Amino acid sequence: MIKNLNYIDEAVYQKEKDLFFDESWILVAHKNELLNNNDFVTFEYYGDKIFVQNFNGTIKSFQNVCLHRFNTIHQEPYGNRVSSCLYHNWTYGKKGNVVGLMCRNSFEKDDINELRLKEYEVGYCGDFIFIKLNNQLDKNLEQYLGNIFTPLEDISKHFGSKTIDYTIEHNVNWKLLVENVLECYHCTSVHENSFAKMGFGSVSPEKFDFYDAHSWCEFPKGESAKQSKIIEKSLSSRTFKPQGYLHFYIYPNAFISSVEGKGFYFGFMLPESPSKTNLRVRYFAPKFDKELSESEQNIIDFINNSSNESLDLVLNEDKKIIENIQSNLVKFKDSSPIFGDEEFRILKFYEYFNGKKELKDI
């Protein structure tokens, strides 16, 4: 079983970092974020700055650092503009090549023509966009996701427009974030005014599946949960209607979830140190099978705002708990957490993760 030392030790953290780069595809965006020419999304993953961008309908991913004087090309988390460094206007095309710069004649032509941004292979699971960190990895994306590919592909088709995109800093090890989302054992106590009120946490899940460290699970809704007739009527034409709280963990960095298809959460984990992890939070409205009237859209906008507030409440409730846990681990570094039957997804995660040969020497 994992020791608490593994949540705080720098050597363990570096081993995990190397492992992720060696073996991982990572989920980075949804197509709805990159619909238009020059739409881009950026992130920093273990110190590597990366961007994903729409180049006239082709999605490409490159290192987000200019090859001239190494300034960051796109400095915002998302936006729409050409991939041009704002220091000296060096501009890059869909091959990662320099397609424009000031005072071009002052540079050796051959040197400029040979320059290429580091490129990452892009893969798709439905409307989800992944990149491959290691070009030597011999698994394509479908092989990497295994039997999780199809249900993830299905849910991806029902995302509407993005309503929020922000980052919350957590003073915790990344594995505590993973553990927290892989069970709803804590929902009735920690989320008394959110998940518990919606009826989740009191009924054990019966639908779930695993592949390596990936997993999905549908947490059933308790029969006593009250429904809002106005919300139910307003969302009745949504295209996705699972019966409970559907949650995916895509190893190593992403969480996808939905409460009855009424909206979609996309969490993106960005570890920075053994005891610091940034969580990028994105939320998407549902897709509808008809065009909404102005009055219907106003109601949906209100529901989306309420969902965003509920999500923020849940995330901060979790943050408080897991930061408390992290602060206690130094005093209990030789102890181990105890996981019960309700935490079966955590057990399956560690069954895979602790079996990696790169980590056995620690």
Side-chain angles (χ1 to χ4, degrees):
M1 183 52 67
I2 187 171
K3 294 286 188 183
N4 287 341
L5 175 67
N6 289 7
Y7 299 91
I8 60 177
D9 187 76
E10 179 68 30
V12 172
Y13 174 78
Q14 292 299 328
K15 282 275 190 180
E16 293 169 347
K17 172 183 174 181
D18 293 342
L19 174 62
F20 291 159
F21 274 98
D22 285 344
E23 70 165 8
S24 297
W25 287 83
I26 61 171
L27 176 54
V28 295
H30 188 274
K31 281 186 179 179
N32 287 356
E33 300 177 89
L34 299 167
L35 291 176
N36 305 304
N37 182 38
N38 291 325
D39 281 351
F40 67 86
V41 171
T42 71
F43 58 94
E44 186 171 339
Y45 195 67
Y46 283 108
D48 276 10
K49 293 183 177 181
I50 299 170
F51 73 92
V52 186
Q53 184 155 358
N54 182 330
F55 290 88
N56 289 309
T58 301
I59 306 298
K60 304 296 286 285
S61 179
F62 299 103
Q63 194 163 43
N64 191 22
V65 179
C66 180
L67 299 175
H68 173 219
R69 300 266 293 279
F70 308 104
N71 182 43
T72 304
I73 297 169
H74 290 304
Q75 299 184 17
E76 300 298 323
Y78 60 93
N80 179 282
R81 68 177 187 88
V82 297
S83 51
S84 179
C85 172
L86 297 179
Y87 195 9
H88 300 95
N89 291 332
W90 281 43
T91 303
Y92 296 87
K94 68 179 181 180
K95 295 181 180 180
N97 56 315
V98 181
V99 296
L101 72 161
M102 297 189 300
C103 306
R104 189 175 191 120
N105 291 337
S106 67
F107 296 90
E108 289 291 336
K109 181 178 179 180
D110 289 344
D111 292 343
I112 299 300
N113 290 341
E114 291 175 5
L115 290 175
R116 293 290 186 276
L117 295 172
K118 179 180 178 180
E119 183 171 0
Y120 299 89
E121 182 179 341
V122 174
Y124 300 92
C125 177
D127 287 343
F128 287 126
I129 299 169
F130 287 74
I131 65 168
K132 186 164 70 172
L133 295 175
N134 178 8
N135 287 333
Q136 304 305 311
L137 179 67
D138 59 1
K139 290 182 180 180
N140 63 34
L141 181 57
E142 192 163 357
Q143 291 171 326
Y144 180 72
L145 293 173
N147 50 274
I148 303 298
F149 186 96
T150 298
L152 187 65
E153 179 183 40
D154 182 44
I155 194 175
S156 78
K157 300 294 186 180
H158 302 283
F159 279 47
S161 59
K162 184 169 67 174
T163 61
I164 56 172
D165 188 337
Y166 64 94
T167 298
I168 306 176
E169 181 181 299
H170 289 67
N171 293 313
V172 301
N173 184 269
W174 69 272
K175 294 187 290 296
L176 288 181
L177 275 168
V178 173
E179 291 174 15
N180 182 73
V181 302
L182 290 185
E183 48 90 358
C184 209
Y185 180 41
H186 70 281
C187 289
T188 54
S189 52
V190 177
H191 305 307
E192 182 181 1
N193 295 312
S194 50
F195 270 126
K197 278 190 174 181
M198 290 186 280
F200 299 112
S202 59
V203 183
S204 297
E206 296 180 356
K207 298 178 182 179
F208 50 84
D209 205 357
F210 304 91
Y211 184 79
D212 289 342
H214 315 298
S215 66
W216 71 264
C217 184
E218 185 173 324
F219 297 92
K221 191 172 188 175
E223 294 181 0
S224 60
K226 295 181 179 180
Q227 301 278 11
S228 167
K229 292 182 179 180
I230 295 176
I231 291 177
E232 293 302 316
K233 182 179 179 180
S234 300
L235 294 171
S236 61
S237 63
R238 68 191 186 278
T239 60
F240 189 60
K241 300 177 182 179
Q243 297 303 303
Y245 170 57
L246 186 60
H247 184 276
F248 289 79
Y249 170 51
I250 306 304
Y251 173 83
N253 72 310
F255 314 124
I256 303 292
S257 65
S258 179
V259 176
E260 301 175 306
K262 296 174 180 176
F264 300 90
Y265 165 62
F266 176 6
F268 185 82
M269 247 185 347
L270 301 161
E272 288 202 359
S273 75
S275 58
K276 181 180 176 182
T277 306
N278 289 323
L279 179 66
R280 184 166 177 178
V281 177
R282 285 175 270 191
Y283 194 80
F284 295 78
K287 184 183 289 186
F288 296 91
D289 58 17
K290 66 171 187 175
E291 187 173 347
L292 300 178
S293 67
E294 183 177 350
S295 60
E296 288 173 327
Q297 186 60 58
N298 289 337
I299 294 173
I300 297 303
D301 290 342
F302 175 79
I303 293 172
N304 288 336
N305 288 334
S306 297
S307 297
N308 294 343
E309 291 173 3
S310 296
L311 175 62
D312 191 64
L313 172 63
V314 168
L315 293 173
N316 280 287
E317 287 170 341
D318 284 333
K319 170 181 159 73
K320 181 178 180 180
I321 292 289
I322 59 177
E323 286 188 339
N324 280 335
I325 292 171
Q326 184 76 34
S327 70
N328 294 328
L329 295 181
V330 173
K331 293 293 185 181
F332 296 88
K333 62 184 180 181
D334 294 322
S335 301
S336 297
I338 300 168
F339 301 116
D341 292 342
E342 292 285 335
E343 297 147 308
F344 65 99
R345 289 175 77 199
I346 300 176
L347 291 168
K348 288 291 288 187
F349 164 72
Y350 281 122
E351 180 182 315
Y352 172 84
F353 190 67
N354 290 341
K356 304 304 293 182
K357 60 182 177 59
E358 293 88 342
L359 302 175
K360 287 184 176 180
D361 295 334
I362 298 174

